[in-house]
Amino acid sequence: VAGEVLKNRDRVITGEQARVVLRLAEGSAVKLGENAAMKVDALGKREGGVFTAALDVATGAFRFTTGIFSNALGRRAVNVRVASITAGIRGTDLWGSSDHERDLICLIEGRITAVHPDAEPVQMSDPMSFYVAPRGLPPMPIESVDRVQLALWALQTEVQMGVATFRADGRW
């Protein structure tokens, strides 16, 4: 339901041609594309006012972007898992997806640590780079992505213009 406050262990599931935009407490946005499933956990604040969250994307496309809903530069410790790849986020913009062929995380800007169970953790700080793990295989080396491909990926999580959208204030 639009405007609902999520709690630990809640799941967000989208359907065919659906999109969801979530506003996190510290001002970041999480966008989910169609046929996505994500579990929310570890929501809270720890010592020093650090916002915490664990987002587990089982399927579908997602995007995490800091500062969308607030210019406050609050500290965060957010982990996003895209099926087999976990990204530790401390302030960044990233896109990812999981499907029957592969799990992928694309760093648009910022810095993350990507962890896969079949490989050593890798630090990612080069903008427009991605890390992909084909289903059932170890991850591939980090590669660069061009703006055209990133734009195509991003369309999967953006709210579509000209399509009915339900908002928290009840407007369509």
Side-chain angles (χ1 to χ4, degrees), residues 48-70:
V50 177
F51 172 79
T52 62
L55 309 174
D56 188 355
V57 182
T59 59
F62 87 99
R63 184 167 181 177
F64 178 93
T65 308
T66 59
I68 292 291
F69 294 107
S70 170

PDB file of all heavy atoms in Angstrom, residues 48-70:
ATOM      1  N   GLY A  48      25.970   6.460  17.098  1.00  0.00           N
ATOM      2  CA  GLY A  48      26.435   7.531  16.231  1.00  0.00           C
ATOM      3  C   GLY A  48      25.409   7.966  15.203  1.00  0.00           C
ATOM      4  O   GLY A  48      25.710   8.733  14.301  1.00  0.00           O
ATOM      5  N   GLY A  49      24.181   7.444  15.304  1.00  0.00           N
ATOM      6  CA  GLY A  49      23.119   7.825  14.380  1.00  0.00           C
ATOM      7  C   GLY A  49      23.248   7.231  12.992  1.00  0.00           C
ATOM      8  O   GLY A  49      22.667   7.743  12.044  1.00  0.00           O
ATOM      9  N   VAL A  50      23.989   6.143  12.860  1.00  0.00           N
ATOM     10  CA  VAL A  50      24.184   5.501  11.561  1.00  0.00           C
ATOM     11  C   VAL A  50      22.938   4.698  11.201  1.00  0.00           C
ATOM     12  O   VAL A  50      22.535   3.813  11.945  1.00  0.00           O
ATOM     13  CB  VAL A  50      25.431   4.585  11.577  1.00  0.00           C
ATOM     14  CG1 VAL A  50      25.579   3.857  10.245  1.00  0.00           C
ATOM     15  CG2 VAL A  50      26.683   5.383  11.894  1.00  0.00           C
ATOM     16  N   PHE A  51      22.332   5.016  10.060  1.00  0.00           N
ATOM     17  CA  PHE A  51      21.165   4.292   9.567  1.00  0.00           C
ATOM     18  C   PHE A  51      21.613   2.925   9.061  1.00  0.00           C
ATOM     19  O   PHE A  51      22.620   2.807   8.371  1.00  0.00           O
ATOM     20  CB  PHE A  51      20.499   5.067   8.426  1.00  0.00           C
ATOM     21  CG  PHE A  51      19.416   4.298   7.734  1.00  0.00           C
ATOM     22  CD1 PHE A  51      18.155   4.190   8.302  1.00  0.00           C
ATOM     23  CD2 PHE A  51      19.654   3.675   6.524  1.00  0.00           C
ATOM     24  CE1 PHE A  51      17.156   3.464   7.672  1.00  0.00           C
ATOM     25  CE2 PHE A  51      18.655   2.956   5.882  1.00  0.00           C
ATOM     26  CZ  PHE A  51      17.407   2.854   6.459  1.00  0.00           C
ATOM     27  N   THR A  52      20.860   1.871   9.403  1.00  0.00           N
ATOM     28  CA  THR A  52      21.209   0.523   8.963  1.00  0.00           C
ATOM     29  C   THR A  52      20.036  -0.114   8.221  1.00  0.00           C
ATOM     30  O   THR A  52      18.874   0.164   8.521  1.00  0.00           O
ATOM     31  CB  THR A  52      21.587  -0.393  10.151  1.00  0.00           C
ATOM     32  OG1 THR A  52      20.459  -0.523  11.022  1.00  0.00           O
ATOM     33  CG2 THR A  52      22.768   0.161  10.921  1.00  0.00           C
ATOM     34  N   ALA A  53      20.375  -0.941   7.247  1.00  0.00           N
ATOM     35  CA  ALA A  53      19.363  -1.717   6.519  1.00  0.00           C
ATOM     36  C   ALA A  53      20.052  -2.857   5.785  1.00  0.00           C
ATOM     37  O   ALA A  53      21.221  -2.738   5.396  1.00  0.00           O
ATOM     38  CB  ALA A  53      18.596  -0.846   5.534  1.00  0.00           C
ATOM     39  N   ALA A  54      19.318  -3.945   5.605  1.00  0.00           N
ATOM     40  CA  ALA A  54      19.757  -5.063   4.766  1.00  0.00           C
ATOM     41  C   ALA A  54      18.630  -5.318   3.777  1.00  0.00           C
ATOM     42  O   ALA A  54      17.501  -5.595   4.171  1.00  0.00           O
ATOM     43  CB  ALA A  54      20.028  -6.302   5.610  1.00  0.00           C
ATOM     44  N   LEU A  55      18.939  -5.180   2.503  1.00  0.00           N
ATOM     45  CA  LEU A  55      17.957  -5.354   1.437  1.00  0.00           C
ATOM     46  C   LEU A  55      18.354  -6.587   0.643  1.00  0.00           C
ATOM     47  O   LEU A  55      19.444  -6.639   0.083  1.00  0.00           O
ATOM     48  CB  LEU A  55      17.932  -4.112   0.538  1.00  0.00           C
ATOM     49  CG  LEU A  55      17.783  -2.776   1.275  1.00  0.00           C
ATOM     50  CD1 LEU A  55      17.912  -1.615   0.306  1.00  0.00           C
ATOM     51  CD2 LEU A  55      16.469  -2.717   2.026  1.00  0.00           C
ATOM     52  N   ASP A  56      17.478  -7.558   0.600  1.00  0.00           N
ATOM     53  CA  ASP A  56      17.764  -8.832  -0.055  1.00  0.00           C
ATOM     54  C   ASP A  56      16.886  -8.955  -1.296  1.00  0.00           C
ATOM     55  O   ASP A  56      15.699  -9.248  -1.205  1.00  0.00           O
ATOM     56  CB  ASP A  56      17.483  -9.978   0.920  1.00  0.00           C
ATOM     57  CG  ASP A  56      17.933 -11.321   0.408  1.00  0.00           C
ATOM     58  OD1 ASP A  56      18.382 -11.419  -0.756  1.00  0.00           O
ATOM     59  OD2 ASP A  56      17.831 -12.291   1.165  1.00  0.00           O
ATOM     60  N   VAL A  57      17.486  -8.685  -2.468  1.00  0.00           N
ATOM     61  CA  VAL A  57      16.761  -8.738  -3.740  1.00  0.00           C
ATOM     62  C   VAL A  57      16.884 -10.154  -4.288  1.00  0.00           C
ATOM     63  O   VAL A  57      17.947 -10.556  -4.751  1.00  0.00           O
ATOM     64  CB  VAL A  57      17.327  -7.708  -4.743  1.00  0.00           C
ATOM     65  CG1 VAL A  57      16.540  -7.744  -6.046  1.00  0.00           C
ATOM     66  CG2 VAL A  57      17.336  -6.309  -4.142  1.00  0.00           C
ATOM     67  N   ALA A  58      15.794 -10.905  -4.232  1.00  0.00           N
ATOM     68  CA  ALA A  58      15.814 -12.291  -4.703  1.00  0.00           C
ATOM     69  C   ALA A  58      15.721 -12.357  -6.219  1.00  0.00           C
ATOM     70  O   ALA A  58      16.411 -13.149  -6.855  1.00  0.00           O
ATOM     71  CB  ALA A  58      14.677 -13.080  -4.069  1.00  0.00           C
ATOM     72  N   THR A  59      14.856 -11.527  -6.791  1.00  0.00           N
ATOM     73  CA  THR A  59      14.690 -11.498  -8.245  1.00  0.00           C
ATOM     74  C   THR A  59      14.352 -10.080  -8.686  1.00  0.00           C
ATOM     75  O   THR A  59      13.854  -9.271  -7.903  1.00  0.00           O
ATOM     76  CB  THR A  59      13.547 -12.419  -8.726  1.00  0.00           C
ATOM     77  OG1 THR A  59      12.331 -12.003  -8.113  1.00  0.00           O
ATOM     78  CG2 THR A  59      13.814 -13.871  -8.406  1.00  0.00           C
ATOM     79  N   GLY A  60      14.603  -9.811  -9.959  1.00  0.00           N
ATOM     80  CA  GLY A  60      14.224  -8.533 -10.543  1.00  0.00           C
ATOM     81  C   GLY A  60      15.324  -7.502 -10.483  1.00  0.00           C
ATOM     82  O   GLY A  60      16.446  -7.772 -10.063  1.00  0.00           O
ATOM     83  N   ALA A  61      14.978  -6.304 -10.931  1.00  0.00           N
ATOM     84  CA  ALA A  61      15.921  -5.189 -11.009  1.00  0.00           C
ATOM     85  C   ALA A  61      15.671  -4.208  -9.870  1.00  0.00           C
ATOM     86  O   ALA A  61      14.538  -4.018  -9.430  1.00  0.00           O
ATOM     87  CB  ALA A  61      15.782  -4.477 -12.347  1.00  0.00           C
ATOM     88  N   PHE A  62      16.749  -3.580  -9.391  1.00  0.00           N
ATOM     89  CA  PHE A  62      16.634  -2.583  -8.339  1.00  0.00           C
ATOM     90  C   PHE A  62      17.642  -1.471  -8.591  1.00  0.00           C
ATOM     91  O   PHE A  62      18.607  -1.625  -9.326  1.00  0.00           O
ATOM     92  CB  PHE A  62      16.873  -3.202  -6.955  1.00  0.00           C
ATOM     93  CG  PHE A  62      18.335  -3.229  -6.591  1.00  0.00           C
ATOM     94  CD1 PHE A  62      18.879  -2.259  -5.772  1.00  0.00           C
ATOM     95  CD2 PHE A  62      19.173  -4.192  -7.112  1.00  0.00           C
ATOM     96  CE1 PHE A  62      20.231  -2.268  -5.476  1.00  0.00           C
ATOM     97  CE2 PHE A  62      20.518  -4.214  -6.823  1.00  0.00           C
ATOM     98  CZ  PHE A  62      21.051  -3.243  -6.000  1.00  0.00           C
ATOM     99  N   ARG A  63      17.404  -0.329  -7.928  1.00  0.00           N
ATOM    100  CA  ARG A  63      18.381   0.764  -7.923  1.00  0.00           C
ATOM    101  C   ARG A  63      18.366   1.389  -6.546  1.00  0.00           C
ATOM    102  O   ARG A  63      17.306   1.627  -5.974  1.00  0.00           O
ATOM    103  CB  ARG A  63      18.048   1.807  -8.986  1.00  0.00           C
ATOM    104  CG  ARG A  63      19.113   2.906  -9.057  1.00  0.00           C
ATOM    105  CD  ARG A  63      18.970   3.740 -10.282  1.00  0.00           C
ATOM    106  NE  ARG A  63      20.018   4.763 -10.348  1.00  0.00           N
ATOM    107  CZ  ARG A  63      20.158   5.586 -11.357  1.00  0.00           C
ATOM    108  NH1 ARG A  63      19.335   5.506 -12.399  1.00  0.00           N
ATOM    109  NH2 ARG A  63      21.110   6.497 -11.350  1.00  0.00           N
ATOM    110  N   PHE A  64      19.553   1.653  -6.013  1.00  0.00           N
ATOM    111  CA  PHE A  64      19.713   2.310  -4.720  1.00  0.00           C
ATOM    112  C   PHE A  64      20.449   3.617  -4.981  1.00  0.00           C
ATOM    113  O   PHE A  64      21.532   3.611  -5.556  1.00  0.00           O
ATOM    114  CB  PHE A  64      20.534   1.440  -3.766  1.00  0.00           C
ATOM    115  CG  PHE A  64      20.782   2.095  -2.435  1.00  0.00           C
ATOM    116  CD1 PHE A  64      19.926   1.871  -1.376  1.00  0.00           C
ATOM    117  CD2 PHE A  64      21.864   2.941  -2.243  1.00  0.00           C
ATOM    118  CE1 PHE A  64      20.152   2.483  -0.142  1.00  0.00           C
ATOM    119  CE2 PHE A  64      22.098   3.553  -1.024  1.00  0.00           C
ATOM    120  CZ  PHE A  64      21.226   3.320   0.028  1.00  0.00           C
ATOM    121  N   THR A  65      19.853   4.748  -4.561  1.00  0.00           N
ATOM    122  CA  THR A  65      20.463   6.047  -4.779  1.00  0.00           C
ATOM    123  C   THR A  65      20.366   6.865  -3.503  1.00  0.00           C
ATOM    124  O   THR A  65      19.275   7.046  -2.966  1.00  0.00           O
ATOM    125  CB  THR A  65      19.766   6.802  -5.931  1.00  0.00           C
ATOM    126  OG1 THR A  65      19.719   5.967  -7.076  1.00  0.00           O
ATOM    127  CG2 THR A  65      20.525   8.077  -6.271  1.00  0.00           C
ATOM    128  N   THR A  66      21.497   7.377  -3.038  1.00  0.00           N
ATOM    129  CA  THR A  66      21.504   8.201  -1.835  1.00  0.00           C
ATOM    130  C   THR A  66      21.024   9.612  -2.159  1.00  0.00           C
ATOM    131  O   THR A  66      21.163  10.088  -3.277  1.00  0.00           O
ATOM    132  CB  THR A  66      22.913   8.269  -1.216  1.00  0.00           C
ATOM    133  OG1 THR A  66      23.807   8.802  -2.186  1.00  0.00           O
ATOM    134  CG2 THR A  66      23.389   6.910  -0.777  1.00  0.00           C
ATOM    135  N   GLY A  67      20.449  10.269  -1.159  1.00  0.00           N
ATOM    136  CA  GLY A  67      20.113  11.680  -1.242  1.00  0.00           C
ATOM    137  C   GLY A  67      18.971  12.067  -2.160  1.00  0.00           C
ATOM    138  O   GLY A  67      18.813  13.242  -2.457  1.00  0.00           O
ATOM    139  N   ILE A  68      18.156  11.140  -2.609  1.00  0.00           N
ATOM    140  CA  ILE A  68      17.038  11.483  -3.497  1.00  0.00           C
ATOM    141  C   ILE A  68      15.968  12.280  -2.750  1.00  0.00           C
ATOM    142  O   ILE A  68      15.465  13.277  -3.244  1.00  0.00           O
ATOM    143  CB  ILE A  68      16.404  10.210  -4.100  1.00  0.00           C
ATOM    144  CG1 ILE A  68      17.377   9.546  -5.056  1.00  0.00           C
ATOM    145  CG2 ILE A  68      15.080  10.509  -4.789  1.00  0.00           C
ATOM    146  CD1 ILE A  68      17.642  10.304  -6.326  1.00  0.00           C
ATOM    147  N   PHE A  69      15.617  11.850  -1.558  1.00  0.00           N
ATOM    148  CA  PHE A  69      14.534  12.475  -0.812  1.00  0.00           C
ATOM    149  C   PHE A  69      15.016  13.473   0.230  1.00  0.00           C
ATOM    150  O   PHE A  69      14.221  14.132   0.868  1.00  0.00           O
ATOM    151  CB  PHE A  69      13.674  11.402  -0.129  1.00  0.00           C
ATOM    152  CG  PHE A  69      12.942  10.536  -1.098  1.00  0.00           C
ATOM    153  CD1 PHE A  69      13.337   9.229  -1.311  1.00  0.00           C
ATOM    154  CD2 PHE A  69      11.873  11.029  -1.804  1.00  0.00           C
ATOM    155  CE1 PHE A  69      12.660   8.419  -2.212  1.00  0.00           C
ATOM    156  CE2 PHE A  69      11.186  10.233  -2.710  1.00  0.00           C
ATOM    157  CZ  PHE A  69      11.589   8.924  -2.915  1.00  0.00           C
ATOM    158  N   SER A  70      16.315  13.571   0.424  1.00  0.00           N
ATOM    159  CA  SER A  70      16.861  14.483   1.422  1.00  0.00           C
ATOM    160  C   SER A  70      18.299  14.804   1.060  1.00  0.00           C
ATOM    161  O   SER A  70      19.041  13.939   0.626  1.00  0.00           O
ATOM    162  CB  SER A  70      16.812  13.825   2.810  1.00  0.00           C
ATOM    163  OG  SER A  70      17.544  14.586   3.736  1.00  0.00           O
TER     164      SER A  70
END
